[in-house]
């Protein structure tokens, strides 16, 4: 007394094969499997299923690429900072260095990040946008404390960005990660 049917995007007679392939090339693996192929993704629960150690972990000469930093502030969870070289013309990113440490105050984190940055010129630094809220203990914004302590930051904009953009960069092999970034590699 039951019937079951299984259709994928390929069964839709109104969408051309060219349009399907175009869509597939710009869709993450887990979204493709779930939304267009109507099947559970083998990557369920893995945020960055597109990451491949073989494809994405390598040393790279960055030459005249632009150096930027990304920060995620935390006390009980670690403060993390990634140094990334960006090839603006080629649209590629190379994560070259990392810092990760728990139990540091903002000024201590800033000193450690400045020490690790050394003489390298950082074009800009982006920090988790939650740091733009006022701290309930100090009444000041955490990102202002980073700025006051010499790590000039702007809040990130997670709207229409974030995970999916990063996943597409992995899918299209536009991100590489230096092997010394062991914490990042482990998290991915």
């Amino acid at each position: 007394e039951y019937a079951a049917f299984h259709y994928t995007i390929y069964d839709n007679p109104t969408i051309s094969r060219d349009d399907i392939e175009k869509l597939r090339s710009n869709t993450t693996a887990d979204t493709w499997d779930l939304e267009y192929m109507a099947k559970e993704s083998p990557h369920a629960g893995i945020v960055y299923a597109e990451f491949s150690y073989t494809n994405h972990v390598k040393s790279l000469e960055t030459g005249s690429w632009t150096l930027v930093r990304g920060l995620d502030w935390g006390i009980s969870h670690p403060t993390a900072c990634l140094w990334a070289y960006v090839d603006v013309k080629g649209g590629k990113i190379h994560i070259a260095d990392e810092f990760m440490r728990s139990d540091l105050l903002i000024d201590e984190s800033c000193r450690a990040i400045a020490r690790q940055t050394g003489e390298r010129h950082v074009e800009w630094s982006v920090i988790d946008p939650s740091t733009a809220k006022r701290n309930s203990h100090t009444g000041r914004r955490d990102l202002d404390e980073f700025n006051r302590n010499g790590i000039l930051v702007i809040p990130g904009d997670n709207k229409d960005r974030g995970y999916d953009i990063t996943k597409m960069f992995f899918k299209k092999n536009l991100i590489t990660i230096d092997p010394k970034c062991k914490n990042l590699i482990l998290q991915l």
Side-chain angles (χ1 to χ4, degrees), residues 71-80 99 101-106 109 127-128 130-131 142 146:
L71 292 96
D72 184 18
W73 158 241
I75 291 181
S76 57
H77 73 277
T79 294
F99 168 82
R101 176 109 184 256
S102 296
D103 300 323
L104 293 179
L105 299 174
I106 290 176
S109 291
I127 195 164
D128 182 331
S130 69
T131 61
D142 289 338
F146 272 87

Side-chain angles (χ1 to χ4, degrees), residues 4 26 34 44 47 52 89 101 121 147 157 183 187:
N26 290 307
L34 187 63
V47 176
S52 159
K89 290 181 183 175
R101 176 109 184 256
H121 172 72
N147 290 334
D157 174 5
N183 290 309
Q187 293 297 315

Side-chain angles (χ1 to χ4, degrees), residues 132-152:
K133 298 176 189 163
R134 295 212 177 275
N135 182 301
S136 61
H137 296 290
T138 66
R140 296 184 298 256
R141 300 182 317 165
D142 289 338
L143 71 83
D144 292 332
E145 291 302 300
F146 272 87
N147 290 334
R148 194 172 67 75
N149 282 281
I151 302 297
L152 304 177

Side-chain angles (χ1 to χ4, degrees), residues 49 53 67 73 76 89 102 104 110-111 116 120 126 159 164 186:
Y53 189 94
L67 179 62
W73 158 241
S76 57
K89 290 181 183 175
S102 296
L104 293 179
C110 288
R111 283 194 299 277
Q116 194 163 334
R120 297 180 287 179
V126 173
K159 186 178 179 186
D164 286 341
L186 179 64

Side-chain angles (χ1 to χ4, degrees), residues 15-59:
I15 302 174
S16 74
R17 296 284 183 202
D18 288 341
D19 287 343
I20 291 172
E21 289 311 309
K22 187 180 198 180
L23 182 63
R24 182 178 182 181
S25 71
N26 290 307
T27 303
T28 62
D30 51 342
T31 299
W32 178 257
D33 283 347
L34 187 63
E35 301 295 333
Y36 299 101
M37 297 307 292
K39 67 179 183 179
E40 284 288 326
S41 171
H43 308 293
I46 299 173
V47 176
Y48 294 109
E50 294 76 12
F51 170 75
S52 159
Y53 189 94
T54 304
N55 293 340
H56 300 112
V57 177
K58 54 187 77 171
S59 297

